[in-house]
Amino acid sequence: MPTLFRFLFLCATVVGIVYAVMLALVVFVTPHDRDVVVRIPTEKVNPPDH
């Protein structure tokens, strides 16, 4: 039975570390907004008639 408790403790530790990293990313990283310009060729917008 101690092996099961050790395994569950290891799983809980890994989940806690992942949760702490995600929380740190949310708190300390601020995204920057920027405009994105995508040029579309006119052949795709107005295909030539055949």
Side-chain angles (χ1 to χ4, degrees):
M1 205 55 138
T3 306
L4 177 63
F5 291 133
R6 195 178 311 151
F7 174 71
L8 291 177
F9 181 74
L10 178 67
C11 289
T13 304
V14 169
V15 168
I17 290 172
V18 169
Y19 185 78
V21 168
M22 287 176 24
L23 183 66
L25 282 173
V26 167
V27 171
F28 294 117
V29 176
T30 56
H32 300 287
D33 293 337
R34 61 182 179 139
D35 293 333
V36 176
V37 178
V38 179
R39 299 200 183 271
I40 303 174
T42 56
E43 290 82 18
K44 287 194 176 187
V45 178
N46 297 321
D49 293 334
H50 289 288

mmCIF file of all heavy atoms in Angstrom:
data_model
loop_
_atom_site.group_PDB
_atom_site.id
_atom_site.type_symbol
_atom_site.label_atom_id
_atom_site.label_comp_id
_atom_site.label_asym_id
_atom_site.label_seq_id
_atom_site.Cartn_x
_atom_site.Cartn_y
_atom_site.Cartn_z
ATOM 1 N N MET A 1 0.803 -1.211 0.000
ATOM 2 C CA MET A 1 0.000 0.000 0.000
ATOM 3 C C MET A 1 0.849 1.281 0.000
ATOM 4 O O MET A 1 0.411 2.283 -0.535
ATOM 5 C CB MET A 1 -0.936 -0.030 1.198
ATOM 6 C CG MET A 1 -2.168 0.800 0.988
ATOM 7 S SD MET A 1 -3.070 0.370 -0.493
ATOM 8 C CE MET A 1 -4.702 0.420 0.083
ATOM 9 N N PRO A 2 2.039 1.296 0.600
ATOM 10 C CA PRO A 2 2.831 2.527 0.551
ATOM 11 C C PRO A 2 3.187 2.946 -0.873
ATOM 12 O O PRO A 2 3.368 4.126 -1.145
ATOM 13 C CB PRO A 2 4.097 2.189 1.344
ATOM 14 C CG PRO A 2 3.729 1.040 2.190
ATOM 15 C CD PRO A 2 2.673 0.294 1.453
ATOM 16 N N THR A 3 3.271 1.968 -1.790
ATOM 17 C CA THR A 3 3.591 2.321 -3.166
ATOM 18 C C THR A 3 2.466 3.139 -3.787
ATOM 19 O O THR A 3 2.715 4.081 -4.530
ATOM 20 C CB THR A 3 3.829 1.043 -3.985
ATOM 21 O OG1 THR A 3 4.821 0.267 -3.324
ATOM 22 C CG2 THR A 3 4.310 1.382 -5.373
ATOM 23 N N LEU A 4 1.222 2.801 -3.459
ATOM 24 C CA LEU A 4 0.083 3.561 -3.971
ATOM 25 C C LEU A 4 0.119 4.988 -3.449
ATOM 26 O O LEU A 4 -0.100 5.938 -4.201
ATOM 27 C CB LEU A 4 -1.233 2.872 -3.578
ATOM 28 C CG LEU A 4 -2.509 3.601 -3.976
ATOM 29 C CD1 LEU A 4 -2.602 3.707 -5.492
ATOM 30 C CD2 LEU A 4 -3.715 2.904 -3.398
ATOM 31 N N PHE A 5 0.390 5.154 -2.172
ATOM 32 C CA PHE A 5 0.460 6.499 -1.608
ATOM 33 C C PHE A 5 1.606 7.291 -2.216
ATOM 34 O O PHE A 5 1.468 8.484 -2.487
ATOM 35 C CB PHE A 5 0.625 6.429 -0.085
ATOM 36 C CG PHE A 5 -0.596 5.913 0.621
ATOM 37 C CD1 PHE A 5 -0.475 4.932 1.587
ATOM 38 C CD2 PHE A 5 -1.857 6.393 0.315
ATOM 39 C CE1 PHE A 5 -1.588 4.442 2.235
ATOM 40 C CE2 PHE A 5 -2.978 5.907 0.955
ATOM 41 C CZ PHE A 5 -2.840 4.926 1.925
ATOM 42 N N ARG A 6 2.718 6.650 -2.456
ATOM 43 C CA ARG A 6 3.854 7.322 -3.084
ATOM 44 C C ARG A 6 3.490 7.765 -4.493
ATOM 45 O O ARG A 6 3.828 8.869 -4.925
ATOM 46 C CB ARG A 6 5.055 6.380 -3.095
ATOM 47 C CG ARG A 6 6.350 7.077 -3.393
ATOM 48 C CD ARG A 6 7.533 6.133 -3.341
ATOM 49 N NE ARG A 6 7.510 5.326 -2.117
ATOM 50 C CZ ARG A 6 8.011 4.108 -2.020
ATOM 51 N NH1 ARG A 6 8.580 3.541 -3.055
ATOM 52 N NH2 ARG A 6 7.954 3.453 -0.889
ATOM 53 N N PHE A 7 2.802 6.893 -5.244
ATOM 54 C CA PHE A 7 2.377 7.227 -6.604
ATOM 55 C C PHE A 7 1.392 8.391 -6.602
ATOM 56 O O PHE A 7 1.511 9.323 -7.397
ATOM 57 C CB PHE A 7 1.749 6.002 -7.265
ATOM 58 C CG PHE A 7 1.153 6.283 -8.614
ATOM 59 C CD1 PHE A 7 1.954 6.544 -9.707
ATOM 60 C CD2 PHE A 7 -0.224 6.292 -8.774
ATOM 61 C CE1 PHE A 7 1.409 6.814 -10.943
ATOM 62 C CE2 PHE A 7 -0.779 6.568 -10.007
ATOM 63 C CZ PHE A 7 0.027 6.824 -11.100
ATOM 64 N N LEU A 8 0.411 8.346 -5.695
ATOM 65 C CA LEU A 8 -0.564 9.437 -5.625
ATOM 66 C C LEU A 8 0.097 10.742 -5.205
ATOM 67 O O LEU A 8 -0.255 11.816 -5.702
ATOM 68 C CB LEU A 8 -1.688 9.073 -4.658
ATOM 69 C CG LEU A 8 -2.604 7.946 -5.129
ATOM 70 C CD1 LEU A 8 -3.621 7.621 -4.058
ATOM 71 C CD2 LEU A 8 -3.293 8.308 -6.429
ATOM 72 N N PHE A 9 1.061 10.660 -4.302
ATOM 73 C CA PHE A 9 1.793 11.862 -3.903
ATOM 74 C C PHE A 9 2.593 12.429 -5.073
ATOM 75 O O PHE A 9 2.632 13.645 -5.273
ATOM 76 C CB PHE A 9 2.722 11.553 -2.726
ATOM 77 C CG PHE A 9 3.481 12.735 -2.244
ATOM 78 C CD1 PHE A 9 2.850 13.727 -1.509
ATOM 79 C CD2 PHE A 9 4.834 12.877 -2.534
ATOM 80 C CE1 PHE A 9 3.547 14.835 -1.063
ATOM 81 C CE2 PHE A 9 5.532 13.984 -2.105
ATOM 82 C CZ PHE A 9 4.893 14.959 -1.365
ATOM 83 N N LEU A 10 3.200 11.557 -5.864
ATOM 84 C CA LEU A 10 3.943 12.008 -7.040
ATOM 85 C C LEU A 10 3.003 12.667 -8.054
ATOM 86 O O LEU A 10 3.318 13.732 -8.595
ATOM 87 C CB LEU A 10 4.674 10.839 -7.686
ATOM 88 C CG LEU A 10 5.462 11.149 -8.956
ATOM 89 C CD1 LEU A 10 6.641 12.052 -8.632
ATOM 90 C CD2 LEU A 10 5.920 9.871 -9.611
ATOM 91 N N CYS A 11 1.852 12.055 -8.292
ATOM 92 C CA CYS A 11 0.878 12.648 -9.221
ATOM 93 C C CYS A 11 0.398 14.002 -8.722
ATOM 94 O O CYS A 11 0.289 14.958 -9.489
ATOM 95 C CB CYS A 11 -0.300 11.704 -9.416
ATOM 96 S SG CYS A 11 0.098 10.246 -10.379
ATOM 97 N N ALA A 12 0.100 14.107 -7.433
ATOM 98 C CA ALA A 12 -0.357 15.375 -6.863
ATOM 99 C C ALA A 12 0.736 16.432 -6.951
ATOM 100 O O ALA A 12 0.449 17.611 -7.220
ATOM 101 C CB ALA A 12 -0.784 15.168 -5.414
ATOM 102 N N THR A 13 1.980 16.049 -6.766
ATOM 103 C CA THR A 13 3.089 16.999 -6.868
ATOM 104 C C THR A 13 3.238 17.515 -8.294
ATOM 105 O O THR A 13 3.412 18.719 -8.515
ATOM 106 C CB THR A 13 4.397 16.333 -6.410
ATOM 107 O OG1 THR A 13 4.220 15.843 -5.081
ATOM 108 C CG2 THR A 13 5.544 17.310 -6.443
ATOM 109 N N VAL A 14 3.149 16.626 -9.271
ATOM 110 C CA VAL A 14 3.262 17.037 -10.674
ATOM 111 C C VAL A 14 2.107 17.963 -11.045
ATOM 112 O O VAL A 14 2.307 18.999 -11.689
ATOM 113 C CB VAL A 14 3.327 15.805 -11.595
ATOM 114 C CG1 VAL A 14 3.181 16.203 -13.044
ATOM 115 C CG2 VAL A 14 4.613 15.044 -11.376
ATOM 116 N N VAL A 15 0.897 17.622 -10.623
ATOM 117 C CA VAL A 15 -0.260 18.474 -10.917
ATOM 118 C C VAL A 15 -0.095 19.826 -10.241
ATOM 119 O O VAL A 15 -0.405 20.868 -10.830
ATOM 120 C CB VAL A 15 -1.565 17.774 -10.478
ATOM 121 C CG1 VAL A 15 -2.739 18.728 -10.483
ATOM 122 C CG2 VAL A 15 -1.844 16.587 -11.380
ATOM 123 N N GLY A 16 0.418 19.856 -9.028
ATOM 124 C CA GLY A 16 0.643 21.117 -8.332
ATOM 125 C C GLY A 16 1.683 21.983 -9.024
ATOM 126 O O GLY A 16 1.519 23.202 -9.117
ATOM 127 N N ILE A 17 2.743 21.372 -9.529
ATOM 128 C CA ILE A 17 3.773 22.132 -10.246
ATOM 129 C C ILE A 17 3.210 22.712 -11.536
ATOM 130 O O ILE A 17 3.442 23.882 -11.868
ATOM 131 C CB ILE A 17 5.001 21.241 -10.512
ATOM 132 C CG1 ILE A 17 5.731 20.950 -9.205
ATOM 133 C CG2 ILE A 17 5.942 21.885 -11.517
ATOM 134 C CD1 ILE A 17 6.834 19.932 -9.319
ATOM 135 N N VAL A 18 2.448 21.904 -12.268
ATOM 136 C CA VAL A 18 1.831 22.392 -13.511
ATOM 137 C C VAL A 18 0.867 23.538 -13.211
ATOM 138 O O VAL A 18 0.854 24.558 -13.912
ATOM 139 C CB VAL A 18 1.126 21.235 -14.255
ATOM 140 C CG1 VAL A 18 0.259 21.756 -15.384
ATOM 141 C CG2 VAL A 18 2.150 20.243 -14.770
ATOM 142 N N TYR A 19 0.080 23.400 -12.168
ATOM 143 C CA TYR A 19 -0.858 24.459 -11.790
ATOM 144 C C TYR A 19 -0.098 25.729 -11.390
ATOM 145 O O TYR A 19 -0.496 26.836 -11.762
ATOM 146 C CB TYR A 19 -1.746 23.978 -10.647
ATOM 147 C CG TYR A 19 -2.821 24.950 -10.273
ATOM 148 C CD1 TYR A 19 -3.972 25.068 -11.044
ATOM 149 C CD2 TYR A 19 -2.690 25.771 -9.155
ATOM 150 C CE1 TYR A 19 -4.961 25.976 -10.715
ATOM 151 C CE2 TYR A 19 -3.666 26.670 -8.815
ATOM 152 C CZ TYR A 19 -4.806 26.773 -9.598
ATOM 153 O OH TYR A 19 -5.779 27.670 -9.261
ATOM 154 N N ALA A 20 0.997 25.586 -10.663
ATOM 155 C CA ALA A 20 1.775 26.753 -10.247
ATOM 156 C C ALA A 20 2.398 27.460 -11.442
ATOM 157 O O ALA A 20 2.430 28.694 -11.502
ATOM 158 C CB ALA A 20 2.859 26.321 -9.259
ATOM 159 N N VAL A 21 2.871 26.691 -12.428
ATOM 160 C CA VAL A 21 3.448 27.298 -13.634
ATOM 161 C C VAL A 21 2.377 28.043 -14.418
ATOM 162 O O VAL A 21 2.591 29.157 -14.896
ATOM 163 C CB VAL A 21 4.134 26.219 -14.499
ATOM 164 C CG1 VAL A 21 4.476 26.756 -15.870
ATOM 165 C CG2 VAL A 21 5.382 25.713 -13.802
ATOM 166 N N MET A 22 1.194 27.444 -14.542
ATOM 167 C CA MET A 22 0.108 28.118 -15.260
ATOM 168 C C MET A 22 -0.321 29.390 -14.534
ATOM 169 O O MET A 22 -0.566 30.428 -15.168
ATOM 170 C CB MET A 22 -1.082 27.168 -15.422
ATOM 171 C CG MET A 22 -0.826 26.101 -16.434
ATOM 172 S SD MET A 22 -2.120 24.847 -16.642
ATOM 173 C CE MET A 22 -3.582 25.581 -16.111
ATOM 174 N N LEU A 23 -0.389 29.342 -13.227
ATOM 175 C CA LEU A 23 -0.745 30.532 -12.462
ATOM 176 C C LEU A 23 0.313 31.621 -12.611
ATOM 177 O O LEU A 23 -0.017 32.800 -12.761
ATOM 178 C CB LEU A 23 -0.919 30.159 -10.988
ATOM 179 C CG LEU A 23 -1.367 31.288 -10.069
ATOM 180 C CD1 LEU A 23 -2.779 31.729 -10.433
ATOM 181 C CD2 LEU A 23 -1.307 30.847 -8.629
ATOM 182 N N ALA A 24 1.585 31.228 -12.611
ATOM 183 C CA ALA A 24 2.656 32.212 -12.796
ATOM 184 C C ALA A 24 2.579 32.846 -14.179
ATOM 185 O O ALA A 24 2.811 34.050 -14.330
ATOM 186 C CB ALA A 24 4.011 31.539 -12.586
ATOM 187 N N LEU A 25 2.247 32.062 -15.202
ATOM 188 C CA LEU A 25 2.108 32.631 -16.544
ATOM 189 C C LEU A 25 0.965 33.632 -16.591
ATOM 190 O O LEU A 25 1.066 34.684 -17.223
ATOM 191 C CB LEU A 25 1.876 31.514 -17.564
ATOM 192 C CG LEU A 25 3.108 30.726 -17.978
ATOM 193 C CD1 LEU A 25 2.696 29.556 -18.857
ATOM 194 C CD2 LEU A 25 4.085 31.610 -18.708
ATOM 195 N N VAL A 26 -0.131 33.326 -15.927
ATOM 196 C CA VAL A 26 -1.279 34.239 -15.935
ATOM 197 C C VAL A 26 -0.941 35.534 -15.205
ATOM 198 O O VAL A 26 -1.307 36.623 -15.642
ATOM 199 C CB VAL A 26 -2.504 33.551 -15.285
ATOM 200 C CG1 VAL A 26 -3.602 34.543 -14.986
ATOM 201 C CG2 VAL A 26 -3.022 32.454 -16.190
ATOM 202 N N VAL A 27 -0.213 35.441 -14.111
ATOM 203 C CA VAL A 27 0.059 36.621 -13.294
ATOM 204 C C VAL A 27 1.164 37.486 -13.891
ATOM 205 O O VAL A 27 1.057 38.711 -13.934
ATOM 206 C CB VAL A 27 0.423 36.196 -11.853
ATOM 207 C CG1 VAL A 27 0.924 37.372 -11.047
ATOM 208 C CG2 VAL A 27 -0.776 35.560 -11.177
ATOM 209 N N PHE A 28 2.235 36.865 -14.387
ATOM 210 C CA PHE A 28 3.424 37.636 -14.746
ATOM 211 C C PHE A 28 3.556 37.957 -16.232
ATOM 212 O O PHE A 28 4.348 38.820 -16.590
ATOM 213 C CB PHE A 28 4.687 36.900 -14.290
ATOM 214 C CG PHE A 28 4.787 36.802 -12.793
ATOM 215 C CD1 PHE A 28 4.782 35.573 -12.170
ATOM 216 C CD2 PHE A 28 4.867 37.942 -12.018
ATOM 217 C CE1 PHE A 28 4.865 35.480 -10.792
ATOM 218 C CE2 PHE A 28 4.956 37.863 -10.642
ATOM 219 C CZ PHE A 28 4.949 36.633 -10.031
ATOM 220 N N VAL A 29 2.823 37.305 -17.110
ATOM 221 C CA VAL A 29 2.960 37.543 -18.545
ATOM 222 C C VAL A 29 1.758 38.344 -19.025
ATOM 223 O O VAL A 29 0.618 37.934 -18.839
ATOM 224 C CB VAL A 29 3.078 36.214 -19.323
ATOM 225 C CG1 VAL A 29 3.122 36.483 -20.811
ATOM 226 C CG2 VAL A 29 4.300 35.446 -18.875
ATOM 227 N N THR A 30 2.033 39.476 -19.644
ATOM 228 C CA THR A 30 0.957 40.298 -20.197
ATOM 229 C C THR A 30 1.065 40.272 -21.722
ATOM 230 O O THR A 30 2.108 40.608 -22.285
ATOM 231 C CB THR A 30 1.055 41.746 -19.705
ATOM 232 O OG1 THR A 30 2.333 42.257 -20.032
ATOM 233 C CG2 THR A 30 0.850 41.835 -18.207
ATOM 234 N N PRO A 31 0.001 39.876 -22.395
ATOM 235 C CA PRO A 31 0.049 39.856 -23.851
ATOM 236 C C PRO A 31 -0.016 41.271 -24.421
ATOM 237 O O PRO A 31 -0.612 42.180 -23.833
ATOM 238 C CB PRO A 31 -1.194 39.057 -24.242
ATOM 239 C CG PRO A 31 -2.123 39.233 -23.099
ATOM 240 C CD PRO A 31 -1.269 39.385 -21.880
ATOM 241 N N HIS A 32 0.613 41.455 -25.563
ATOM 242 C CA HIS A 32 0.611 42.750 -26.236
ATOM 243 C C HIS A 32 -0.267 42.643 -27.480
ATOM 244 O O HIS A 32 -0.107 41.734 -28.289
ATOM 245 C CB HIS A 32 2.034 43.148 -26.628
ATOM 246 C CG HIS A 32 2.952 43.257 -25.456
ATOM 247 N ND1 HIS A 32 2.894 44.301 -24.557
ATOM 248 C CD2 HIS A 32 3.935 42.453 -25.007
ATOM 249 C CE1 HIS A 32 3.805 44.123 -23.633
ATOM 250 N NE2 HIS A 32 4.455 43.005 -23.879
ATOM 251 N N ASP A 33 -1.183 43.599 -27.625
ATOM 252 C CA ASP A 33 -2.038 43.626 -28.809
ATOM 253 C C ASP A 33 -1.294 44.264 -29.964
ATOM 254 O O ASP A 33 -0.541 45.244 -29.780
ATOM 255 C CB ASP A 33 -3.307 44.427 -28.537
ATOM 256 C CG ASP A 33 -4.198 43.740 -27.513
ATOM 257 O OD1 ASP A 33 -4.070 42.523 -27.368
ATOM 258 O OD2 ASP A 33 -5.007 44.446 -26.882
ATOM 259 N N ARG A 34 -1.513 43.728 -31.147
ATOM 260 C CA ARG A 34 -0.930 44.330 -32.338
ATOM 261 C C ARG A 34 -1.823 44.004 -33.526
ATOM 262 O O ARG A 34 -2.554 43.022 -33.514
ATOM 263 C CB ARG A 34 0.491 43.847 -32.586
ATOM 264 C CG ARG A 34 0.608 42.368 -32.807
ATOM 265 C CD ARG A 34 2.048 41.972 -32.989
ATOM 266 N NE ARG A 34 2.102 40.528 -33.178
ATOM 267 C CZ ARG A 34 2.876 39.925 -34.031
ATOM 268 N NH1 ARG A 34 3.674 40.613 -34.796
ATOM 269 N NH2 ARG A 34 2.866 38.627 -34.150
ATOM 270 N N ASP A 35 -1.756 44.845 -34.527
ATOM 271 C CA ASP A 35 -2.554 44.637 -35.721
ATOM 272 C C ASP A 35 -1.869 43.632 -36.627
ATOM 273 O O ASP A 35 -0.650 43.617 -36.760
ATOM 274 C CB ASP A 35 -2.732 45.960 -36.480
ATOM 275 C CG ASP A 35 -3.573 46.948 -35.679
ATOM 276 O OD1 ASP A 35 -4.396 46.490 -34.879
ATOM 277 O OD2 ASP A 35 -3.381 48.156 -35.871
ATOM 278 N N VAL A 36 -2.682 42.816 -37.253
ATOM 279 C CA VAL A 36 -2.169 41.826 -38.192
ATOM 280 C C VAL A 36 -2.744 42.153 -39.564
ATOM 281 O O VAL A 36 -3.956 42.290 -39.733
ATOM 282 C CB VAL A 36 -2.580 40.399 -37.772
ATOM 283 C CG1 VAL A 36 -2.120 39.401 -38.800
ATOM 284 C CG2 VAL A 36 -2.024 40.069 -36.406
ATOM 285 N N VAL A 37 -1.870 42.302 -40.543
ATOM 286 C CA VAL A 37 -2.285 42.614 -41.907
ATOM 287 C C VAL A 37 -1.939 41.421 -42.788
ATOM 288 O O VAL A 37 -0.791 40.999 -42.845
ATOM 289 C CB VAL A 37 -1.578 43.887 -42.431
ATOM 290 C CG1 VAL A 37 -1.978 44.159 -43.867
ATOM 291 C CG2 VAL A 37 -1.899 45.064 -41.538
ATOM 292 N N VAL A 38 -2.958 40.886 -43.441
ATOM 293 C CA VAL A 38 -2.759 39.766 -44.355
ATOM 294 C C VAL A 38 -3.149 40.234 -45.742
ATOM 295 O O VAL A 38 -4.294 40.631 -45.977
ATOM 296 C CB VAL A 38 -3.614 38.541 -43.939
ATOM 297 C CG1 VAL A 38 -3.417 37.403 -44.914
ATOM 298 C CG2 VAL A 38 -3.270 38.110 -42.532
ATOM 299 N N ARG A 39 -2.209 40.203 -46.653
ATOM 300 C CA ARG A 39 -2.492 40.633 -48.023
ATOM 301 C C ARG A 39 -3.055 39.464 -48.813
ATOM 302 O O ARG A 39 -2.487 38.380 -48.830
ATOM 303 C CB ARG A 39 -1.223 41.148 -48.683
ATOM 304 C CG ARG A 39 -0.644 42.348 -47.971
ATOM 305 C CD ARG A 39 0.292 43.126 -48.874
ATOM 306 N NE ARG A 39 0.883 44.237 -48.155
ATOM 307 C CZ ARG A 39 0.327 45.434 -48.094
ATOM 308 N NH1 ARG A 39 -0.810 45.668 -48.712
ATOM 309 N NH2 ARG A 39 0.913 46.407 -47.425
ATOM 310 N N ILE A 40 -4.193 39.712 -49.446
ATOM 311 C CA ILE A 40 -4.843 38.688 -50.277
ATOM 312 C C ILE A 40 -4.692 39.110 -51.725
ATOM 313 O O ILE A 40 -5.070 40.224 -52.091
ATOM 314 C CB ILE A 40 -6.331 38.553 -49.915
ATOM 315 C CG1 ILE A 40 -6.466 38.222 -48.433
ATOM 316 C CG2 ILE A 40 -7.006 37.516 -50.777
ATOM 317 C CD1 ILE A 40 -7.879 38.219 -47.937
ATOM 318 N N PRO A 41 -4.142 38.248 -52.568
ATOM 319 C CA PRO A 41 -4.006 38.608 -53.986
ATOM 320 C C PRO A 41 -5.385 38.817 -54.627
ATOM 321 O O PRO A 41 -6.370 38.162 -54.270
ATOM 322 C CB PRO A 41 -3.306 37.394 -54.606
ATOM 323 C CG PRO A 41 -2.733 36.644 -53.465
ATOM 324 C CD PRO A 41 -3.547 36.944 -52.268
ATOM 325 N N THR A 42 -5.439 39.736 -55.580
ATOM 326 C CA THR A 42 -6.724 40.027 -56.218
ATOM 327 C C THR A 42 -7.238 38.857 -57.032
ATOM 328 O O THR A 42 -8.448 38.760 -57.265
ATOM 329 C CB THR A 42 -6.589 41.257 -57.129
ATOM 330 O OG1 THR A 42 -5.554 41.005 -58.068
ATOM 331 C CG2 THR A 42 -6.279 42.500 -56.349
ATOM 332 N N GLU A 43 -6.372 37.945 -57.439
ATOM 333 C CA GLU A 43 -6.831 36.775 -58.196
ATOM 334 C C GLU A 43 -7.710 35.871 -57.319
ATOM 335 O O GLU A 43 -8.588 35.183 -57.817
ATOM 336 C CB GLU A 43 -5.644 35.948 -58.723
ATOM 337 C CG GLU A 43 -4.857 36.631 -59.826
ATOM 338 C CD GLU A 43 -3.841 37.620 -59.272
ATOM 339 O OE1 GLU A 43 -3.518 37.531 -58.073
ATOM 340 O OE2 GLU A 43 -3.401 38.492 -60.026
ATOM 341 N N LYS A 44 -7.459 35.873 -56.026
ATOM 342 C CA LYS A 44 -8.277 35.046 -55.141
ATOM 343 C C LYS A 44 -9.603 35.733 -54.814
ATOM 344 O O LYS A 44 -10.609 35.081 -54.591
ATOM 345 C CB LYS A 44 -7.526 34.744 -53.861
ATOM 346 C CG LYS A 44 -6.410 33.758 -54.059
ATOM 347 C CD LYS A 44 -5.921 33.228 -52.734
ATOM 348 C CE LYS A 44 -4.879 32.166 -52.956
ATOM 349 N NZ LYS A 44 -4.492 31.504 -51.732
ATOM 350 N N VAL A 45 -9.592 37.064 -54.751
ATOM 351 C CA VAL A 45 -10.817 37.783 -54.423
ATOM 352 C C VAL A 45 -11.716 37.865 -55.649
ATOM 353 O O VAL A 45 -12.917 37.612 -55.561
ATOM 354 C CB VAL A 45 -10.476 39.202 -53.912
ATOM 355 C CG1 VAL A 45 -11.739 39.979 -53.623
ATOM 356 C CG2 VAL A 45 -9.610 39.111 -52.661
ATOM 357 N N ASN A 46 -11.141 38.212 -56.793
ATOM 358 C CA ASN A 46 -11.901 38.331 -58.034
ATOM 359 C C ASN A 46 -11.283 37.390 -59.071
ATOM 360 O O ASN A 46 -10.435 37.805 -59.864
ATOM 361 C CB ASN A 46 -11.857 39.769 -58.578
ATOM 362 C CG ASN A 46 -12.524 40.737 -57.608
ATOM 363 O OD1 ASN A 46 -13.534 40.417 -57.017
ATOM 364 N ND2 ASN A 46 -11.922 41.899 -57.453
ATOM 365 N N PRO A 47 -11.691 36.129 -59.079
ATOM 366 C CA PRO A 47 -11.082 35.208 -60.059
ATOM 367 C C PRO A 47 -11.455 35.596 -61.483
ATOM 368 O O PRO A 47 -12.567 36.045 -61.747
ATOM 369 C CB PRO A 47 -11.668 33.850 -59.678
ATOM 370 C CG PRO A 47 -12.871 34.137 -58.860
ATOM 371 C CD PRO A 47 -12.700 35.488 -58.255
ATOM 372 N N PRO A 48 -10.530 35.458 -62.404
ATOM 373 C CA PRO A 48 -10.843 35.814 -63.804
ATOM 374 C C PRO A 48 -11.844 34.820 -64.409
ATOM 375 O O PRO A 48 -11.865 33.641 -64.075
ATOM 376 C CB PRO A 48 -9.482 35.690 -64.509
ATOM 377 C CG PRO A 48 -8.672 34.811 -63.629
ATOM 378 C CD PRO A 48 -9.178 34.995 -62.218
ATOM 379 N N ASP A 49 -12.696 35.343 -65.258
ATOM 380 C CA ASP A 49 -13.691 34.483 -65.942
ATOM 381 C C ASP A 49 -13.012 33.719 -67.066
ATOM 382 O O ASP A 49 -12.202 34.254 -67.826
ATOM 383 C CB ASP A 49 -14.814 35.361 -66.526
ATOM 384 C CG ASP A 49 -15.612 36.003 -65.414
ATOM 385 O OD1 ASP A 49 -15.636 35.412 -64.313
ATOM 386 O OD2 ASP A 49 -16.173 37.080 -65.629
ATOM 387 N N HIS A 50 -13.379 32.444 -67.198
ATOM 388 C CA HIS A 50 -12.796 31.615 -68.263
ATOM 389 C C HIS A 50 -13.851 31.252 -69.266
ATOM 390 O O HIS A 50 -14.904 30.927 -69.140
ATOM 391 C CB HIS A 50 -12.169 30.343 -67.688
ATOM 392 C CG HIS A 50 -10.924 30.601 -66.914
ATOM 393 N ND1 HIS A 50 -9.740 30.961 -67.509
ATOM 394 C CD2 HIS A 50 -10.671 30.602 -65.583
ATOM 395 C CE1 HIS A 50 -8.816 31.118 -66.589
ATOM 396 N NE2 HIS A 50 -9.381 30.919 -65.402
#
